[in-house]
Amino acid sequence: MSTTDKAPVQDFATDFDHTDPSWVKDPYPIWDDLRQRCPIAHTDRYGGAWLPTRHEDVAAIAHDTDHFTSWTVVVGNGRPGEDALPPPIGVAPPITSDPPFHAMARRLLQPVFAPKQVDLYESYVRELCGKLLDPFVGGSAIDASLDYAEHIPVGVIAKMLGFPEEDGEIFRGFVHTILEAVDKEPEERIEDFQPVIDYFTARIEEHRENPQDDLTTFLLEAKLGDMELAPEHVFGSMLLLIVAGIDTTWSAIGSSIWHLAQHPEEVARLKSEPGLLDTAIEEFLRAYSPVTMARLVKEDMDYAGCPMKKDDWILLSFPAANRDPDMFENPDEVIIDRKVNRHAAFGLGIHRCLGSNLARMEMRVALEEFLARFDSFSLADPDAVTWSQGQVRGPRSLPLTLGNF
Amino acid sequence: MKVIIDSEKCQGHGRCFSLAPALFDSDDLGQGVVIGDGDVSPDQAENARLAQENCPEYAIEIEES
Ligand code: HEM
Ligand code: SF4
């Protein structure tokens, strides 16, 4: 079913839908209104779901793995079937895992994403950004989402997994299949997936015969306890990195450029005070947080006055938490030198984004290289900017007019 | 003045070691760790507060001496 068949939302407090066109266009006023009038909203859509919009409630639920499970983190009409890997594992450990299994699955990947490891990829990212941008230097237009932001995380993940560079186009196609699969019915999904499975299986086999210094070999050699990872676990982890690492970072880079394209004075300031960029990036992450997660309620219970039922969804909106005036002064203002910024863009609690160090590095290098090449840029047409629908929010087309004066 | 990380609360968000690299570092898993015994020299006092106020997990404590 496509979302255009759905009834438009009349009242977000009792019938919210995060795929409603008004939410896709501009969710912030919706959350501000809910926070005041109904801080944990409800909907019967998707078989029942709740939406906390205050930082306090989002933080409490993210930390409460006793009452909420991560078994699936993407809201849909169905719930995982009997054939799905049961909690506490789920299909894509560690993101779909609960304690105590979660810690083991996470521990396995943590060393790969530690800051010192991630720094090793910085020069690759810088070179990639340069290659993407150089053809546009001296020109008058670029789509900062399609021509630039999208390619950066795709290139990085392919590099980390050790996939051949000349497979770039094929890999990009698979990324779309995987990301779009989230919205499809199971039968359709399986059909679309076969080429992806074949491609990954071939790369896994190559790495088995000929180990490399990359993440694929690392996963193949990794041990849980003293057991090698099951092939599904290796494959699941590769999929997770694609699902978790690509449209998230693409969105974060895109939203930052979208903001700057409307604020030439901030572009000028960042060029003269490059030391401010890290602080500005944290503010872009707060104000335009790309990622909303989900949880399932484990058992019927009364939670903060809400009669929650087993298998109700929680739409865990880190983006709404990051706009809560009880937590942030002037939350709807983007203040690139905001000093106190305890934002939750990378989540809270045990599932804190494993890729946060990598994502921050990609954002910093992407913005540095962009600012280094273009002195002025603006939205070619504000209405031509389109935003993604679903739990990851960012510009999907972002046509800019370039000026080099 | 001394900084302490409550390792039960720390989830490795990394704000401390970016904002106050003289006081905090990351371990091989990416979790935050205090450098040395956590003593804060007067010229690092502001950075210590900055790290404390930006930790999303409220994991940093400051002991005033
Ligand atoms: C700006 C970009 C990104 C944002 C905003 C973001 C956001 C998030 C959030 C909010 C979570 C928490 C999930 C939950 O609580 O259920 C998460 C988890 C995760 N992210 Fe990211 N992410 C980004 C980029 C990346 C990248 C680049 C990677 C890896 C290549 C990555 C890998 C992961 C993994 C593996 C988890 C699961 C961790 C666990 O369950 O222990 N993310 N991310
Ligand atoms: S900022 Fe807080 S959660 Fe992050 S590494 Fe430092 S102490 Fe840990």
Side-chain angles (χ1 to χ4, degrees), chain A residues 63 106-107 110-111 114-116 282 327 339-343 347-350 352 357 360, chain B residues 11-15 17 25-31 46 50 52-58:
Chain A
H63 286 114
R106 182 176 169 92
R107 171 79 178 66
Q110 266 175 309
K116 283 157 204 152
E282 297 303 324
M327 188 70 188
K339 270 214 146 69
V340 178
N341 189 355
R342 254 186 240 271
H343 72 76
L348 289 170
I350 60 167
R352 185 272 305 168
N357 302 302
R360 284 183 165 116
Chain B
Q11 299 291 352
H13 284 262
R15 302 301 304 284
F17 48 81
D25 198 358
S26 59
D27 66 14
D28 292 344
L29 298 179
Q31 300 293 100
E46 200 190 324
L50 204 57
Q52 185 193 34
E53 289 177 337
N54 280 285
C55 171
E57 305 287 353
Y58 294 85

Side-chain angles (χ1 to χ4, degrees), chain A residues 17-36:
Chain A
D17 190 333
H18 58 299
T19 66
D20 192 77
S22 63
W23 175 305
V24 174
K25 187 157 186 271
D26 188 13
Y28 307 108
I30 300 174
W31 301 336
D32 289 344
D33 169 54
L34 290 177
R35 222 179 275 113
Q36 294 190 10

Side-chain angles (χ1 to χ4, degrees), chain A residues 379-391:
Chain A
L379 299 182
D381 168 9
D383 294 329
V385 178
T386 58
W387 296 83
S388 55
Q389 184 199 56
Q391 286 177 218

